[in-house]
């Protein structure tokens, strides 16, 4: 075993919105990988359209810089808990991490998750306290809280003796002394090279590469990205692909690349320790080993935490099916969902008794919502059910459910409302304290069932000022029944085009989701009822004309603007007997049973069955 001192492999981990991608921007610019006159977008690593729109990192990405003769491979990772699977797998190909912490907020829920994973793998960490320019920065408090977090997570003595760097990522400055004004990021580069370990390699052993990421190119095909742990790799080299179950398949490397800046540079030979990208293996998957053909040795496979939430994805069965989407058949839907498994290691897809329906499981509502939005933009048309949690059975046969650790920051005037909302969701308060600015910080254990649909209600109750973060805590015994839906739906009674006259009559029953001139079908949800239970309304009714009344009187009706739901809000809103119809152009909420009379019959049969069960009990 030898050490490659000319190389460092690092990952940048942090809570969402603490400045990881902005810091990578500064590191790339100061390493002079861009031309002086080159126009570079902000958060250049967030290349995905959804990432730019939502302002979060969704996919882990590779880049590399060179500092004083040392190449630094950098992996930018997501900060949201729903994409923790991305973080878990890329930590397998680095030797150390930069832990970014906000100078005001300090360690947050996702900070705990990603740091625990890094410490479990034995990685050393550099703590980067970012946004030191903020006027209410608390450098000493944040430094002490971070040290306490390391100790709480069981860090070794060596891991707990971490260096601290104070940065302003937007300005691209760093310093080793709190309170000082930095000039550039040189102190950070020096700390990376001097503190984080160089990769330990086995150059004389048979070649071993662990695939951690997959890409795709229209001309090159599937691109496997991973770290070369032993041996050397060359283009046109014969290799063996070792699958998860141990089966071996021969293959041949077509092209070989290393990372430099934002580009992949062709390489004629790569030595152990490097992060590489290769083509020529069309059937390779994440977690598999690419090994030497004469002595194939598998590496330990990648393990990620299991999903906690699932939804049913099915072929669109509404009367408007096939109007707006390019891909709407069960074959195309199945093909797309199983293709997602190639790169999304936290996702699970199961086939059901119906060939038109698939169960898709993920790490949270946002995890599944990103998949839905991505497919929608690709031209797919389908329908999804309400998210539901995945239960487990305990050792003693008891039913267990997933529990989230929820961190909330709220103004004191909204405290009572928030505590009442959480109390009705079977939550358990673990901690409460008041910050220096007067805001109240709460920590709860809440069943994942109670959080489905909670976020939008929380933001409404706090008038958009509340901050909420959640992190998977574990499986605990069931905490009782939870009523998450307090209002029924307004359902279209018949097909047609909505009129101002009919919508004006329907407005008295609740909040509308559509305006006039919209085509609807029977069973489509057009609004939220003010009370419990559903009401069928005719929103396509026209006013009868007489010699007294004129149709022009419709112009005097002033309708309240409809509530236009985003994808996330629609997923939170739907109930157990409803579906969300997703097309490239529209989002429509509908009843599973479209016919009004059929719904009444089904409800009556369900009530009678429940009555018989009670009598038998």
């Amino acid at each position: 075993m030898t050490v490659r001192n000319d190389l460092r492999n690092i990952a940048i981990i942090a809570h969402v919105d603490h400045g990881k991608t902005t810091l990578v921007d500064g590191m790339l610019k100061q390493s002079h990988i861009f031309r002086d006159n080159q126009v570079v977008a902000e958060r250049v690593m967030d290349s995905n359209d959804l990432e730019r729109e939502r302002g979060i990192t969704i996919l882990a990405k590779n880049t590399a810089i060179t500092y004083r003769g040392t190449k630094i491979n950098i992996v930018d990772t997501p900060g949201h808990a729903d994409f923790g699977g991305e973080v878990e797998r890329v930590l397998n190909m680095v030797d150390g991490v930069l832990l970014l912490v906000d100078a005001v907020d300090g360690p947050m829920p996702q900070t705990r998750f990603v740091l625990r994973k890094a410490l479990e793998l034995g990685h050393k960490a550099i703590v980067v306290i970012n946004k030191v320019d903020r006027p209410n920065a608390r450098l000493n408090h944040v430094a002490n809280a971070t040290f306490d977090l390391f100790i709480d997570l069981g860090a070794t003595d060596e891991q707990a003796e971490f260096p601290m760097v104070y940065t302003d990522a937007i300005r691209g400055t760093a310093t080793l002394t709190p309170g000082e004004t930095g000039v550039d990021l040189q102190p950070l580069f020096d700390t990376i090279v001097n503190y984080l370990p160089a990769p330990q390699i086995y150059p004389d052993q048979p070649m071993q590469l662990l695939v951690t990421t997959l890409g795709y190119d229209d001309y090159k095909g599937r691109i496997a990205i991973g770290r070369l742990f032993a041996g050397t790799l060359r283009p046109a080299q014969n290799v063996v692909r070792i699958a998860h179950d141990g089966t071996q398949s021969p293959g041949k490397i077509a092209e070989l690349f290393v990372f430099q800046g934002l580009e992949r540079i062709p390489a004629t030979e790569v030595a152990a320790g490097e992060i590489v990208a290769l083509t020529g293996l069309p059937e390779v998957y994440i977690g598999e080993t690419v090994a030497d053909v004469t002595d194939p040795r598998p590496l330990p496979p990648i393990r990620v935490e299991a999903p906690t939430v699932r939804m049913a994805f099915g072929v669109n069965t509404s009367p408007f099916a096939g109007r707006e989407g390019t891909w709407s058949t069960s074959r195309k839907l199945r093909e797309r969902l199983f293709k997602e498994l190639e790169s999304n290691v936290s996702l699970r897809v199961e086939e059901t008794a119906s060939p038109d329906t698939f169960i898709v499981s993920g790490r949270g509502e946002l995890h599944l919502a990103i998949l839905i939005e991505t497919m929608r933009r690709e031209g797919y048309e389908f329908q999804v059910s309400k998210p539901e949690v995945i239960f487990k059975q305990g050792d003693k046969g008891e039913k267990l459910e997933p529990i989230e650790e929820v961190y909330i920051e709220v103004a004191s005037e909204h405290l009572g409302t928030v505590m009442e909302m959480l109390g009705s969701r079977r939550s358990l308060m673990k901690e409460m304290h008041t910050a220096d600015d007067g805001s109240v910080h709460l920590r709860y254990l809440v069943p994942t069932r109670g959080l489905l649909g909670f976020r939008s209600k929380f933001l409404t109750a706090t008038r958009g000022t509340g901050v909420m973060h959640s992190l998977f805590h574990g499986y605990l015994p069931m905490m009782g029944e939870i009523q998450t839906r307090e209002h029924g739906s307004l359902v279209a009674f018949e097909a047609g085009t909505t009129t101002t006259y009919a919508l004006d009559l329907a407005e008295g029953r609740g909040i509308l989701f559509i305006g006039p001139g919209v085509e609807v079908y029977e069973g489509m949800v057009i609004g939220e009822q003010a009370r419990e239970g559903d009401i069928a309304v005719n929103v396509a009714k026209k006013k009868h004309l007489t010699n007294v009344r004129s149709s022009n009187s419709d112009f005097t009706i002033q309708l309240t603007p409809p509530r236009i739901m985003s994808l996330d809000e629609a997923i939170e809103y739907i109930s157990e007997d409803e579906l969300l119809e997703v097309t490239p152009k529209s989002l429509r909420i509908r009843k599973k049973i479209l016919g009004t009379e059929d719904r009444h019959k089904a409800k009556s049969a369900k009530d009678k069955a429940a009555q018989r069960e009670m009598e038998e009990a």
Side-chain angles (χ1 to χ4, degrees):
M1 183 183 71
T2 59
V3 176
R4 280 194 63 175
N5 286 313
D6 63 332
L7 189 64
R8 298 292 185 275
N9 297 320
I10 67 170
I12 301 186
I13 59 177
H15 187 80
V16 64
D17 200 32
H18 277 196
K20 298 181 302 299
T21 308
T22 306
L23 182 63
V24 174
D25 279 1
M27 296 173 74
L28 290 172
K29 290 173 183 175
Q30 294 190 25
S31 61
H32 305 294
I33 68 159
F34 303 117
R35 300 188 311 273
D36 292 339
N37 63 342
Q38 185 172 347
V39 178
V40 182
E42 287 187 11
R43 302 196 313 277
V44 67
M45 295 293 286
D46 283 348
S47 53
N48 186 299
D49 288 342
L50 276 175
E51 291 178 320
R52 291 196 170 278
E53 290 174 18
R54 292 175 178 256
I56 60 174
T57 301
I58 296 171
L59 304 173
K61 303 176 190 68
N62 296 77
T63 185
I65 61 175
T66 301
Y67 176 71
R68 294 183 177 177
T70 301
K71 182 179 180 181
I72 304 174
N73 283 312
I74 303 171
V75 184
D76 183 24
T77 64
H80 198 285
D82 282 17
F83 307 108
E86 291 279 318
V87 182
E88 290 182 69
R89 62 185 171 89
V90 299
L91 287 177
N92 286 274
M93 64 177 175
V94 300
D95 304 291
V97 298
L98 298 187
L99 178 69
L100 236 70
V101 183
D102 190 287
V104 175
D105 298 336
M108 298 291 280
Q110 183 68 359
T111 314
R112 171 180 289 270
F113 172 80
V114 294
L115 180 59
R116 184 177 75 243
K117 294 297 179 184
L119 295 178
E120 287 174 355
L121 291 169
H123 293 330
K124 297 173 72 175
I126 296 172
V127 174
V128 180
I129 299 181
N130 191 31
K131 303 184 183 181
V132 295
D133 59 314
R134 295 178 65 176
N136 50 348
R138 306 177 295 167
L139 302 185
N140 289 334
H141 169 78
V142 170
N144 292 332
T146 306
F147 179 77
D148 292 342
L149 179 60
F150 271 76
I151 301 303
D152 188 37
L153 294 177
T156 64
D157 292 343
E158 186 180 15
Q159 288 173 325
E161 293 179 2
F162 51 82
M164 284 195 177
V165 182
Y166 302 87
T167 62
D168 179 354
I170 292 180
R171 292 190 176 90
T173 62
T175 177
L176 301 179
T177 306
E180 277 190 4
T181 302
V183 178
D184 53 25
L185 291 175
Q186 182 178 332
L188 177 61
F189 290 136
D190 288 334
T191 307
I192 291 172
V193 173
N194 296 332
Y195 179 74
L196 293 182
Q200 296 180 346
I201 61 172
Y202 302 89
D204 301 326
Q205 290 189 7
M207 187 270 295
Q208 288 177 301
L209 180 141
L210 182 66
V211 179
T212 53
T213 308
L214 290 179
Y216 187 81
D217 185 274
D218 290 337
Y219 301 100
K220 297 180 175 65
R222 188 175 299 184
I223 301 173
I225 301 170
R227 173 173 168 172
L228 187 61
F229 283 88
T232 57
L233 201 57
R234 303 176 185 87
Q237 180 175 337
N238 291 320
V239 296
V240 170
R241 177 176 63 86
I242 305 176
H244 294 280
D245 58 1
T247 57
Q248 300 181 5
S249 307
K252 187 175 183 179
I253 304 300
E255 294 179 276
L256 193 62
F257 303 90
V258 295
F259 292 92
Q260 186 62 40
L262 301 179
E263 299 178 351
R264 289 193 286 257
I265 308 297
T268 56
E269 181 176 296
V270 176
E274 182 69 90
I275 295 176
V276 302
L278 55 89
T279 64
L281 303 177
E283 301 297 325
V284 70
Y285 291 96
I286 288 174
E288 296 184 344
T289 301
V290 179
D292 190 272
V293 69
T294 59
D295 188 6
R297 302 180 184 179
L299 288 163
I302 295 175
R303 304 292 184 191
V304 297
E305 291 189 1
T308 57
V309 177
R310 64 187 178 190
M311 299 172 73
F313 282 54
V315 174
N316 186 12
T317 57
S318 85
F320 294 170
R323 290 190 181 185
E324 300 174 348
T326 306
W327 316 108
S328 57
T329 63
S330 59
R331 183 177 65 85
K332 281 292 183 181
L333 179 62
R334 182 186 186 281
E335 187 179 284
R336 177 62 181 85
L337 289 175
F338 278 93
K339 182 182 178 184
E340 184 70 19
L341 296 178
E342 297 177 6
S343 57
N344 200 334
V345 293
S346 300
L347 203 72
R348 304 284 185 273
V349 178
E350 304 168 43
E351 298 190 70
T352 65
S354 169
D356 295 339
T357 305
F358 306 89
I359 301 298
V360 182
S361 307
R363 292 284 282 268
E365 281 182 289
L366 181 60
H367 187 199
L368 296 174
I370 292 294
L371 171 62
I372 293 170
E373 182 63 34
T374 302
M375 292 175 59
R376 180 189 181 196
R377 296 186 181 200
E378 292 172 359
Y380 286 86
E381 179 179 320
F382 52 99
Q383 62 191 24
V384 297
S385 69
K386 176 182 175 63
E388 59 180 32
V389 300
I390 300 173
F391 298 103
K392 286 186 177 181
Q393 194 168 13
D395 297 334
K396 299 178 181 178
E398 73 275 25
K399 193 175 184 181
L400 306 179
E401 67 172 329
I403 304 295
E404 305 278 335
E405 194 167 358
V406 178
Y407 295 77
I408 286 176
E409 179 183 343
V410 66
S412 56
E413 61 264 29
H414 304 307
L415 178 61
T417 305
V418 172
M419 291 180 68
E420 183 180 352
M421 292 170 63
L422 286 169
S424 65
R425 285 168 167 76
R426 303 286 182 176
S427 61
L428 181 64
M429 183 188 289
K430 304 298 288 184
E431 184 181 336
M432 181 174 75
H433 67 272
T434 305
D436 297 336
D437 59 358
S439 63
V440 182
H441 292 242
L442 306 165
R443 182 166 68 90
Y444 276 87
L445 291 182
V446 187
T448 305
R449 289 179 298 137
L451 289 180
L452 298 177
F454 174 74
R455 193 175 298 272
S456 59
K457 293 183 175 65
F458 169 76
L459 290 173
T460 302
T462 60
R463 298 180 183 177
T465 61
V467 178
M468 174 182 135
H469 300 289
S470 62
L471 188 65
F472 177 64
H473 176 74
Y475 274 85
L476 295 176
M478 288 283 292
M479 292 190 172
E481 292 298 321
I482 299 175
Q483 183 180 358
T484 56
R485 178 85 171 260
E486 300 172 355
H487 302 280
S489 294
L490 299 177
V491 186
F493 181 73
E494 62 180 28
T497 302
T498 57
T499 64
T500 304
Y501 171 69
L503 291 175
D504 182 47
L505 298 175
E507 255 193 352
R509 300 296 189 102
I511 301 170
L512 298 178
F513 298 158
I514 57 175
V518 177
E519 195 174 357
V520 297
Y521 53 81
E522 184 183 5
M524 179 174 161
V525 175
I526 53 90
E528 181 182 56
Q529 219 248 109
R531 301 176 181 178
E532 290 186 19
D534 299 332
I535 297 180
V537 292
N538 186 356
V539 288
K541 181 167 55 177
K542 296 179 181 179
K543 183 192 294 185
H544 296 290
L545 303 183
T546 68
N547 59 345
V548 178
R549 290 182 280 186
S550 167
S551 63
N552 291 333
S553 61
D554 278 2
F555 294 116
T556 63
I557 298 175
Q558 295 293 323
L559 292 174
T560 304
R563 184 206 295 177
I564 306 299
M565 286 193 178
S566 65
L567 174 63
D568 299 49
E569 291 169 337
I571 291 174
E572 288 186 355
Y573 175 83
I574 58 177
S575 65
E576 288 81 0
D577 65 336
E578 294 172 348
L579 296 170
L580 176 63
E581 179 186 350
V582 180
T583 77
K585 297 180 181 179
S586 309
L587 295 171
R588 301 183 187 95
I589 300 173
R590 49 158 288 189
K591 290 294 179 181
K592 287 183 179 179
I593 302 174
L594 295 178
T596 307
E597 290 186 11
D598 295 336
R599 282 200 308 277
H600 288 321
K601 291 177 182 177
K603 186 177 184 304
S604 177
K606 184 178 178 181
D607 292 342
K608 289 178 180 178
Q611 182 68 28
R612 281 197 302 269
E613 287 182 7
M614 290 180 62
E615 291 174 354
E616 291 173 0

